[in-house]
């Protein structure tokens, strides 16, 4: 059987595009179409589709033609419109498609030709040519002096340490030296030559460290485990091996500490499932760039990934999507069951793996919006059948918000938050709170009664009410709630909540002025699911803008805030992120991450005066061999 779909943009304005879609039957037989299903993530104006019935749930579009028969070598044609900004990329087209027919029991996959765009861009800005730097350190340290000569360590040498704070960092250095450089490092408690000696020095605070390399030895000093980890990351970038596998370190003194104490990366594991092995690989990579926090986006409309022992339906049902399942196919795999679960056992292993690399894992359970997978899994608990309110979320769902007037919502939160709090040692738990659609709850008699009871003027206060409940619950488990910038809408959560701004830096600055601690995650610079150029062939999205390597590197956090302004103290750090709508596999993840994550790691760590674009490029060029060695399929900055 052979079917193909073509999609052309036939007219395009700022907020209106019109499409022509053709489905070809290239087989030798006529078929009777029950539905043509395709994945397309813009919202199709429903009454723009004719000659059949059309429904869309999220990115899943289903068209049932009024004339069902499609003869061999014939085609079916339809047009439709969207009222969003223009499409620029081939990855904006149909992501997958299949047909359901009378003749065949299973859905039949449909191949796709690339979307035909209006005026596709074929060129991109080039990165200046540079010579690779021999001292390829990323992020750039605060103070570095290089002298002549090298410390020759050979192929096998000792790591000396007595202090327990250095133990994990030394173990990690040992593992990574072996896997990256083929080096055998012995750990001994006594002085011996040649060696790298880790010494506890209480003058260094949390992340800070000093490395002193002479021709005779290497001394690493730090005051806390984080400082030792950062030193190990630097050593791994300083190590040079020659053609016979012998290691040397350049004679340097490095005294280093970060600009921001929180340096984070968020991965969305709901839209596509990333196996534990891939997350471990990522966490290990983050440690190399001194990123100390992994924010794990575990639940969303399209999947609930974390095992909750008291509510097995959440993963039995909510972790899977596919034809005929409670959750329709989304973003890929139109004709198959797709999904995955992280068991609590696996999560414990991952937490330990991250701890050994100096990385804290913050779990995110996104409420009250972005909850469709949970709601589809637990309809008896989470669906308010008496609420006729109509709404549509940004991602095209009309049934993805928890109700603040439903008893089940609170039972659900009690169970989930307790298991999360017990499982994750992290002080912080992320509660999401983003993108609750307008129109939610407005026609619910129970919500209206609740507003009256509490004197609330706007439904957004109901959201605040729910989040305050979550905040207090988490507090009772000894946790601090953190959430997206919308968490403080409705003015109910306490100033203890940490706010992550994502739409821009402005929300963070406003929240910091009000007394919240904040994390900066502006989509315009830090969302690495944004495409890396304007070229049509570039995979990615661009609702914030495209983010080239140069653009990412030139993020200047808080550049609009006076240096003396006390709100700087409220800005705890910076986080980069990947939303996984189009991140289907490891290769795509690598491509979107590298090398931009190295640029953003430098934004998080290094002060403005240490950051220079040509100098960073030279270090990046020197560093690429290390990425190659790890098998990272990065986007080549130079062709
Ligand atoms: C977000 O990007 N909705 C936090």
């Amino acid at each position: 059987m052979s079917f193909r779909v073509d999609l052309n943009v036939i007219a395009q304005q700022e907020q209106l595009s019109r499409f022509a879609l053709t489905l070809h039957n290239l087989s030798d037989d006529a078929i009777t179409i029950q539905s043509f299903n395709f994945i397309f993530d813009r919202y199709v104006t429903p009454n723009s589709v004719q000659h059949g019935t059309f429904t869309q749930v999220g990115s899943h579009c289903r068209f049932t033609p009024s004339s069902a028969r499609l003869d061999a070598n014939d085609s079916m044609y339809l047009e439709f419109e969207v009222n969003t900004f223009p499409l620029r990329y081939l990855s904006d087209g149909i992501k997958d498609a299949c047909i359901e027919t009378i003749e065949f029991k299973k859905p039949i996959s449909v191949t796709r030709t690339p979307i035909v765009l209006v005026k596709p861009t074929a060129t991109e800005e080039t990165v200046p040519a540079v010579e690779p730097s021999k001292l390829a350190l990323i992020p750039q340290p605060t103070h570095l002096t290089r002298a002549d000569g090298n410390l020759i360590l050979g192929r096998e040498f000792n790591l000396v340490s007595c202090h327990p704070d250095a133990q994990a960092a030394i173990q990690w250095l040992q593992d990574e030296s072996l896997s990256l450089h083929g080096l055998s490092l012995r750990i001994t408690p006594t002085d011996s030559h040649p060696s790298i000696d880790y010494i506890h020095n209480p003058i260094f605070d949390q992340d800070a460290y000093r490395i002193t390399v002479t021709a005779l030895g290497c001394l690493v000093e730090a005051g806390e485990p984080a400082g030792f980890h950062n030193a190990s990351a630097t050593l791994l970038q300083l190590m040079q091996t020659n053609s016979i596998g012998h290691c040397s370190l350049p004679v340097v003194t490095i005294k280093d500490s970060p600009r921001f104490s929180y340096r984070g990366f968020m991965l969305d594991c709901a839209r596509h499932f990333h196996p534990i092995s891939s997350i471990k690989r990522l966490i290990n990579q983050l440690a190399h760039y001194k990123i100390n926090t992994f924010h794990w986006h575990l639940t969303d409309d399209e999947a609930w990934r974390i095992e909750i022992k008291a509510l097995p339906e959440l993963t039995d049902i909510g972790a899977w999507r596919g034809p005929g399942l409670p959750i329709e196919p989304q973003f890929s795999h139109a004709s198959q069951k797709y999904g995955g679960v992280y068991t609590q056992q696996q999560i414990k292993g991952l937490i330990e793996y991250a701890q050994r690399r100096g990385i804290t894992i913050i779990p995110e359970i996104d409420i009250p919006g972005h909850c469709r997978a949970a709601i589809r899994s637990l309809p008896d608990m989470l669906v308010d059948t008496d609420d006729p309110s109509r709404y549509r979320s940004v991602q095209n769902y009309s049934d993805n918000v928890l109700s603040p007037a439903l008893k089940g919502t609170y039972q659900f939160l009690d169970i989930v938050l307790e298991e999360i709090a017990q499982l994750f040692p992290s002080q912080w738990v992320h509660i999401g709170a983003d993108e609750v659609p307008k129109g939610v709850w407005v026609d619910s008699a129970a919500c209206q009664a609740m507003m009256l009871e509490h004197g609330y003027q706007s439904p957004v206060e109901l959201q605040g009410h729910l989040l305050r409940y979550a905040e207090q619950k988490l507090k009772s488990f000894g946790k601090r709630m953190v959430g997206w910038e919308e968490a403080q809408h409705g003015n109910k959560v306490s100033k203890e909540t940490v706010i992550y701004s994502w739409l821009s830096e402005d929300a963070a600055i406003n929240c910091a002025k009000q007394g919240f601690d904040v994390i900066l995650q502006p989509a315009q610079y830090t969302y690495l699911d944004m495409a890396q150029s304007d070229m049509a062939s570039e995979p990615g999205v661009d609702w914030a803008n495209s983010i080239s390597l140069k653009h990412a590197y030139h993020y200047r956090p808080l550049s609009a805030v006076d240096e003396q302004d006390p709100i700087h103290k409220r800005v705890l750090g910076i986080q980069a992120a990947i939303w996984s709508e189009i991140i289907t596999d490891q290769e795509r993840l690598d491509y979107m991450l590298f090398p931009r994550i190295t640029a953003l790691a430098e934004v998080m760590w290094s002060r403005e005066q240490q950051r220079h674009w040509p100098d960073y490029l030279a270090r990046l060029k020197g560093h690429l061999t290390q990425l190659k060695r790890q098998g990272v399929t990065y986007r080549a900055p130079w062709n």
Side-chain angles (χ1 to χ4, degrees), residues 222-342:
E224 297 196 29
F228 286 114
H229 270 292
N230 294 327
S232 287
T234 298
L235 281 173
L236 286 164
Q237 293 182 353
L238 284 175
M239 284 177 170
Q240 283 162 11
T241 43
N242 64 13
S243 57
I244 54 166
H246 283 203
C247 176
S248 63
L249 293 174
V251 171
V252 288
T253 305
I254 292 171
K255 190 163 177 287
D256 202 8
S257 64
R259 176 175 175 192
F260 293 102
S261 61
Y262 178 111
R263 304 172 300 280
F265 181 77
M266 188 218 79
L267 183 67
D268 161 20
C269 290
R271 273 56 178 274
H272 279 104
F273 178 74
H274 304 289
I276 289 281
S277 57
S278 170
I279 302 176
K280 281 189 174 168
R281 183 179 188 270
L282 169 67
I283 283 175
N284 194 48
Q285 287 164 336
L286 297 178
H288 279 277
Y289 306 107
K290 305 182 174 77
I291 292 174
N292 61 7
T293 309
F294 175 63
H295 166 175
W296 199 2
H297 186 79
L298 284 161
T299 71
D300 215 301
D301 295 319
E302 296 82 4
W304 181 284
R305 298 277 177 228
I306 175 171
E307 178 193 20
I308 299 295
K309 289 190 189 285
L311 295 171
E313 301 90 335
L314 282 171
T315 40
D316 289 350
I317 298 169
W320 305 97
R321 40 186 199 252
L325 295 180
I327 306 176
E328 303 80 357
Q330 299 291 344
F331 308 123
S332 68
H333 298 80
S335 60
Q336 295 151 303
K337 184 173 175 179
Y338 171 86
V341 179
Y342 306 115

Side-chain angles (χ1 to χ4, degrees), residues 294-557:
F294 175 63
H295 166 175
W296 199 2
H297 186 79
L298 284 161
T299 71
D300 215 301
D301 295 319
E302 296 82 4
W304 181 284
R305 298 277 177 228
I306 175 171
E307 178 193 20
I308 299 295
K309 289 190 189 285
L311 295 171
E313 301 90 335
L314 282 171
T315 40
D316 289 350
I317 298 169
W320 305 97
R321 40 186 199 252
L325 295 180
I327 306 176
E328 303 80 357
Q330 299 291 344
F331 308 123
S332 68
H333 298 80
S335 60
Q336 295 151 303
K337 184 173 175 179
Y338 171 86
V341 179
Y342 306 115
T343 66
Q344 293 200 2
Q345 196 57 33
Q346 287 174 319
I347 291 171
K348 281 181 192 153
L350 190 73
I351 291 167
E352 199 190 309
Y353 179 91
Q355 275 170 342
R356 284 192 263 115
R357 284 154 183 78
I359 292 182
T360 302
I361 301 184
I362 296 177
E364 181 190 347
I365 302 299
D366 200 349
I367 64 151
H370 286 281
C371 269
R372 187 167 189 266
I375 292 170
R376 300 289 287 177
S377 306
L378 296 166
D380 294 342
M381 191 179 226
L382 298 178
V383 174
D384 185 353
T385 47
D386 294 330
D387 180 0
S389 310
R390 290 167 69 88
Y391 58 88
R392 180 166 62 81
S393 74
V394 182
Q395 288 83 8
N396 313 320
Y397 296 106
S398 54
D399 52 357
N400 73 337
V401 188
L402 298 178
S403 169
L406 205 61
K407 222 156 100 202
T409 297
Y410 298 90
Q411 290 165 347
F412 166 78
L413 285 181
D414 288 352
I415 294 169
V416 170
L417 295 181
E418 181 165 6
E419 288 199 29
I420 296 279
Q422 280 170 359
L423 185 58
F424 288 88
S426 154
Q427 267 297 296
W428 292 10
V429 173
H430 203 296
I431 204 69
D434 57 325
E435 297 184 311
V436 174
K438 279 208 171 64
V440 71
W441 309 320
V442 290
D443 296 326
S444 151
C447 286
Q448 282 166 3
M450 193 174 162
M451 286 176 65
L452 209 59
E453 181 192 343
H454 294 280
Y456 297 156
Q457 304 300 311
S458 146
V460 79
E461 290 183 86
L462 292 174
Q463 175 180 336
H465 182 100
L466 196 56
L467 292 169
R468 185 176 54 205
Y469 180 87
E471 181 184 27
Q472 286 168 352
K473 194 86 211 163
L474 286 169
K475 200 169 174 187
S476 76
F477 300 127
K479 302 291 184 185
R480 184 174 183 185
M481 185 170 89
V482 308
W484 300 116
E485 59 189 75
E486 296 96 322
Q488 42 88 39
H489 292 179
N491 214 11
K492 298 286 176 289
V493 302
S494 82
K495 296 290 186 292
E496 278 292 293
T497 294
V498 181
I499 300 298
Y500 287 54
S501 70
W502 62 277
L503 283 162
S504 67
E505 259 193 15
D506 296 348
I509 293 171
N510 287 335
C511 289
K513 280 186 186 149
Q514 292 171 49
F516 288 99
D517 287 338
V518 299
I519 304 292
L520 309 178
Q521 189 182 307
Q524 296 79 4
Y525 291 97
T526 67
Y527 272 25
L528 299 185
D529 48 317
M530 298 293 142
Q532 310 190 49
S533 78
D534 295 338
M535 272 197 308
S537 58
E538 191 72 55
V541 294
D542 68 336
W543 61 261
N545 44 245
S546 59
I547 301 181
S548 64
L549 179 64
K550 181 178 178 183
H551 184 82
Y553 190 77
H554 285 85
Y555 175 30
R556 296 180 57 225

Side-chain angles (χ1 to χ4, degrees), residues 158-162 170 186 188-192 195-198:
N158 293 326
L159 291 169
V160 180
S161 163
C162 301
I170 285 191
R186 290 178 300 266
T188 80
T190 54
D191 205 9
S192 58
S195 66
I196 299 177
D197 295 14
Y198 279 67

